[in-house]
């Protein structure tokens, strides 16, 4: 199936099923598979009033972009905001020119301008997209969306649910509360008030009775660490942060930090009307309910592993990274705006960058070489540590037993140290930061350069 027919097929499936709807631009530009128009729009999250959000293609949830492993996808982005933006494709191992970081990988997309992204996903799985400018506001007000890369040979699931988890910072009348405050940015971040799945409060999705269901949970929230559990003791974790795991494990209570993803496999209840609910700390987030089907006995399909380069641990170089509070928390005033640097990476707080000023990298890596990042969280708060353009192989923790797995975002607990290996095979300057957005904006960001 060629690229255009694949996308048309995906759209048709979405329109005729109970899945969250895939939205294609009404008139995509010639030669492009998707067109994303970024602009303000009112959305309905709570019953008390509309919310003045920032949206892709006029609404929330954003379009679910579906690509296919090893096939190019072309996405045109049109900026109709009154401020610059970019789009980062979170978790994707793609060329630096497509990574969506202003100044480091591309010029900002100015108001009224267009930028064309084209890349070929090497990995299948659950990924997402979001701006990398004015992140607290642009992400916090709705500019987040799912990017699903289907396997070259698609597994035989009966339903594939794409579920974006986001707590909205809104009042009962739909107006926004503060997206950030200094006292919260210095700690765990400013939590939202309204927990949603795809913009709905505890929605229910219908699935075929006895069917093999793939449940993709994507944490697109600025702040919240979700503790995911289920009413079905047979629910299986089948992929973490877009990467299938070799041996699925039972879901008990799994932490999903901002930016992280969790794929679950579930056999839907065979009895019509019965349901399975997925919860955060015991609070229902989303329910799937069985409806009549003609399916026979089903088993969960196995996911093929992604082609992540194997680290050469015998010849790896270890680099230590310490994540700490900044001892100097004096407000910084620049261009009439007040900001703070609360966090450091190896005693450095991110100073920002511009067209004429790119700071030095936190580390320089030799292309093709294996490195072990010793990630040490010396604070009392958790931090999801995200790297662009590469995938970690998590090896060891001083706090818990680990079966090695692949991820682009390593969740560090209080005073936890994790060893994570990577093969520096993708040349460029790659952002490396905490994905709690208020931490990123208050110093917890840098980049590594692969040469």
């Amino acid at each position: 199936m060629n690229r255009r027919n694949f996308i048309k097929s995906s759209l048709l499936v979405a329109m005729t099923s109970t899945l969250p709807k895939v939205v294609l631009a009404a008139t995509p530009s010639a030669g492009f598979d998707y067109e994303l128009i970024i602009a303000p729009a009112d959305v309905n999250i709570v019953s008390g009033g509309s919310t003045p959000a920032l949206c892709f293609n006029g609404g929330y949830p954003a379009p679910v972009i579906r690509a296919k492993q090893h096939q190019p996808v072309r996405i045109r982005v049109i900026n109709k905001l009154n401020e610059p933006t970019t789009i980062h494709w979170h978790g994707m191992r793609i060329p630096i020119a497509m990574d969506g970081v202003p100044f480091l990988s591309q010029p900002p997309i100015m108001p009224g301008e267009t930028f064309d992204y084209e890349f070929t996903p090497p990995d299948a799985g659950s990924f997402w997209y979001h701006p990398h400018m004015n992140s607290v506001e642009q992400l916090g007000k709705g500019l987040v969306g799912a990017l699903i890369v289907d396997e070259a040979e698609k597994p035989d699931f009966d339903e594939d649910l794409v579920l974006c988890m986001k707590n909205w910072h809104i009042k009962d009348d739909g107006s926004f509360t503060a997206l950030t405050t200094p006292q919260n940015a210095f700690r765990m971040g400013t939590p939202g008030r309204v927990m949603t799945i795809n913009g709905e409060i505890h929605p229910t999705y219908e699935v075929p009775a006895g069917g093999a269901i793939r449940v993709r949970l994507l944490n697109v929230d600025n702040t919240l660490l979700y503790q995911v559990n289920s009413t079905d003791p047979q629910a299986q974790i089948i992929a973490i942060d877009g990467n299938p795991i070799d041996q699925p494990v039972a879901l008990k209570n799994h932490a999903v930090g901002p930016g992280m993803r969790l794929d679950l496999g579930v056999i839907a209840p065979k009895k019509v009307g019965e349901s399975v609910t997925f919860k955060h700390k015991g609070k229902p987030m989303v329910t799937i309910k069985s409806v009549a089907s003609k399916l026979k006995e089903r088993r969960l399909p196995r996911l093929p592993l992604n082609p992540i380069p194997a680290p050469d641990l015998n010849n790896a170089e270890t680099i230590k990274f310490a994540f700490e509070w900044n001892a100097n928390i004096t407000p910084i005033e620049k261009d009439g705006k007040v900001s703070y640097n609360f966090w450091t990476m190896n005693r450095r707080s991110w100073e920002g960058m511009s067209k004429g000023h790119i700071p030095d990298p936190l580390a320089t890596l030799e292309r093709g070489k294996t490195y072990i990042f010793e990630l040490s969280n010396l604070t009392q708060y958790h931090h999801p540590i995200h790297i662009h353009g590469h995938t970690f192989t998590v090896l060891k923790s001083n706090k818990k037993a680990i079966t090695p797995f692949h991820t682009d975002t390593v969740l560090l607990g209080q005073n936890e140290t994790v060893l994570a290996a990577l093969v520096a095979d993708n040349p460029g300057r790659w952002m490396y930061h905490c994905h709690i957005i208020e931490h990123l904006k208050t110093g917890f960001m840098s980049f590594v350069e692969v040469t």
Side-chain angles (χ1 to χ4, degrees), residues 124-178:
S126 303
F127 306 96
W128 64 296
Y129 62 96
H130 60 81
H132 228 286
M133 297 192 73
N134 191 14
S135 300
V136 169
E137 182 168 348
Q138 290 192 17
L139 276 69
K141 289 189 173 182
L143 289 177
V144 292
L147 168 59
I148 304 303
V149 180
D150 287 316
E151 293 78 5
E153 294 185 12
K154 197 170 181 180
D156 186 24
F157 285 97
D158 300 302
E159 287 283 17
D160 186 341
L161 294 167
V162 181
L163 307 175
C164 290
M165 306 184 293
K166 178 174 171 58
N167 271 32
W168 286 79
H169 294 70
I170 54 177
K171 303 175 186 176
D172 292 342
D173 64 2
S175 61
F176 277 103
T177 59

Side-chain angles (χ1 to χ4, degrees), residues 90-91 126-128 130 165 217-224 241-242 256-262 384 386 407-409 435-437:
H90 184 112
S126 303
F127 306 96
W128 64 296
H130 60 81
M165 306 184 293
L217 294 169
L218 295 82
N219 186 349
V220 300
D221 195 72
N222 279 15
T223 305
L224 187 63
D241 297 331
V256 184
M260 300 173 73
R261 293 86 67 209
L262 183 67
H386 175 55
T407 180
D408 52 77
T409 308
H435 219 282
I436 294 171
I437 303 301

Side-chain angles (χ1 to χ4, degrees), residues 126-437:
S126 303
F127 306 96
W128 64 296
Y129 62 96
H130 60 81
H132 228 286
M133 297 192 73
N134 191 14
S135 300
V136 169
E137 182 168 348
Q138 290 192 17
L139 276 69
K141 289 189 173 182
L143 289 177
V144 292
L147 168 59
I148 304 303
V149 180
D150 287 316
E151 293 78 5
E153 294 185 12
K154 197 170 181 180
D156 186 24
F157 285 97
D158 300 302
E159 287 283 17
D160 186 341
L161 294 167
V162 181
L163 307 175
C164 290
M165 306 184 293
K166 178 174 171 58
N167 271 32
W168 286 79
H169 294 70
I170 54 177
K171 303 175 186 176
D172 292 342
D173 64 2
S175 61
F176 277 103
T177 59
L179 295 171
T180 181
T181 63
Q183 60 267 36
N184 285 322
F186 180 68
R187 296 177 175 86
M188 202 51 263
T190 306
R193 294 182 64 249
V194 180
M195 186 168 69
T196 67
I197 297 290
N198 292 344
E200 296 184 84
I201 300 169
H202 188 193
T204 295
Y205 294 99
E206 295 180 345
V207 296
I213 314 301
R214 184 172 185 169
V215 178
R216 304 178 191 253
L217 294 169
L218 295 82
N219 186 349
V220 300
D221 195 72
N222 279 15
T223 305
L224 187 63
L225 172 73
Y226 288 86
Q227 297 284 358
V228 177
N229 53 56
S230 168
T231 57
D232 179 6
Q234 303 303 315
Q236 299 282 306
I237 297 174
I238 58 175
I240 295 173
D241 297 331
N243 289 285
I245 57 177
D246 191 32
Q247 294 294 329
V249 297
L251 171 68
K252 294 180 180 178
N253 190 68
H254 191 87
V256 184
M260 300 173 73
R261 293 86 67 209
L262 183 67
D263 282 35
L264 304 174
V266 180
I267 298 297
K270 294 180 181 179
K271 186 175 180 180
V272 171
E274 290 190 349
S275 63
V276 176
T277 296
F278 300 93
K279 301 179 179 182
H280 160 58
K281 292 185 175 180
K283 183 177 180 180
M285 293 192 300
V286 61
T287 294
I288 59 172
K289 183 175 72 172
S290 290
V291 296
S293 77
K294 297 181 180 179
L295 294 174
K296 307 252 180 180
E297 192 73 24
R298 297 286 281 130
R299 293 184 179 180
L300 292 175
R302 293 296 299 270
L303 298 179
L305 301 181
N306 281 329
I308 307 300
D312 179 7
L313 298 179
N314 291 331
N315 296 294
E317 178 182 339
T318 298
I319 305 177
K320 295 184 178 183
F321 296 99
F323 309 128
E324 301 176 272
W325 271 317
N326 189 350
N328 179 11
I329 58 172
T330 304
I332 303 165
E333 185 169 348
K334 183 179 180 181
D335 300 328
K337 296 181 179 179
V338 175
S339 62
Y340 297 85
N341 279 339
F342 292 143
W343 307 94
T344 67
M345 304 174 72
N346 283 358
R347 302 287 176 92
R348 283 176 54 184
S349 282
W350 180 243
E351 59 193 81
M353 59 186 170
S354 62
K355 182 178 180 180
H357 174 67
I358 305 294
D360 292 333
L362 195 61
T364 299
L365 312 180
E366 179 184 340
R367 186 178 181 182
K369 186 173 178 179
T370 294
Y371 293 86
I372 296 175
F373 284 20
E374 184 176 306
L375 308 172
S376 295
N377 176 14
L378 305 180
T379 80
Q380 69 184 74
Y381 301 105
H382 64 259
H383 299 287
I385 306 299
H386 175 55
I387 191 164
H388 291 208
H390 293 79
T391 297
F392 288 118
T393 300
V394 180
L395 304 172
K396 187 177 180 181
S397 166
N398 69 336
K399 291 288 188 178
K400 56 184 178 285
I402 283 180
T403 299
F405 65 96
H406 300 306
T407 180
D408 52 77
T409 308
V410 178
L411 183 62
L412 297 179
Q414 176 183 358
N415 296 318
E416 183 177 16
T417 295
V418 166
L419 300 182
L422 66 79
V423 179
D425 63 346
N426 199 355
R429 297 178 294 188
W430 299 102
M431 295 306 299
Y432 172 45
H433 58 83
C434 179
H435 219 282
I436 294 171
I437 303 301

